[in-house]
Amino acid sequence: QVQLVESGGGLVQAGGSLRLSCTLSGRTFSAYAMGWFRQAPGKEREFVGAISRGGGSTKHADSVKGRFTISRDNGQNTVSLEMNNLKPEDTAVYYCNAESSVAGMLVDYWGKGTLVTVSS
């Protein structure tokens, strides 16, 4: 069974940086496309970034483009999210996502989340 554990959240001032990490266990990490999502208080969960299984393709939400970078290390079973120039509106619980195709169906796994708070 896939387990995802996020780390790296915390309190930071606006303009600061944080690096989130997520480790996958239980299955072969390179079999999964990985992503980060976030959910701010009172809002729906939204897409932040995604990276392909081999790491050669990435996508970032417009709201974080140029400030956040998703990356992965298949040798360490880890996906990371480097967050720079943080803004108060980046405050949210950040969730790690793993996605694979099983019998033609997409299967998603989620971590429990890590809280990022950006103070103004």
Side-chain angles (χ1 to χ4, degrees), residues 38 47-48 59-67:
R38 67 186 182 185
F47 169 78
V48 175
K59 183 177 181 180
H60 298 83
D62 288 343
S63 59
V64 307
K65 206 169 287 184
R67 299 188 298 122

Side-chain angles (χ1 to χ4, degrees), residues 2 12-13 22-24 47 50 55 58 61 72 77 82 110-111 113 118:
V2 172
V12 64
Q13 288 189 332
C22 170
T23 300
L24 183 149
F47 169 78
T58 62
R72 68 187 294 161
N77 292 357
E82 184 73 32
W110 296 91
V118 184

Side-chain angles (χ1 to χ4, degrees), residues 11 20 23 26 32 37 40 51 53 55 57 61 72-73 76 85 92-93 98 104 109 114 117:
L11 174 64
L20 305 183
T23 300
Y32 296 87
F37 290 72
I51 188 166
R53 289 177 295 176
S57 178
R72 68 187 294 161
D73 184 339
Q76 297 294 321
N85 190 22
V93 178
Y109 300 92
T114 185
T117 303

Side-chain angles (χ1 to χ4, degrees), residues 35-39 45-48 93-97 110:
W36 287 96
F37 290 72
R38 67 186 182 185
Q39 187 166 17
R45 191 173 297 189
E46 65 175 3
F47 169 78
V48 175
V93 178
Y94 284 71
Y95 295 92
C96 178
N97 169 266
W110 296 91

Side-chain angles (χ1 to χ4, degrees), residues 22-35:
C22 170
T23 300
L24 183 149
S25 61
R27 290 290 187 272
T28 302
F29 181 67
S30 58
Y32 296 87
M34 301 297 297

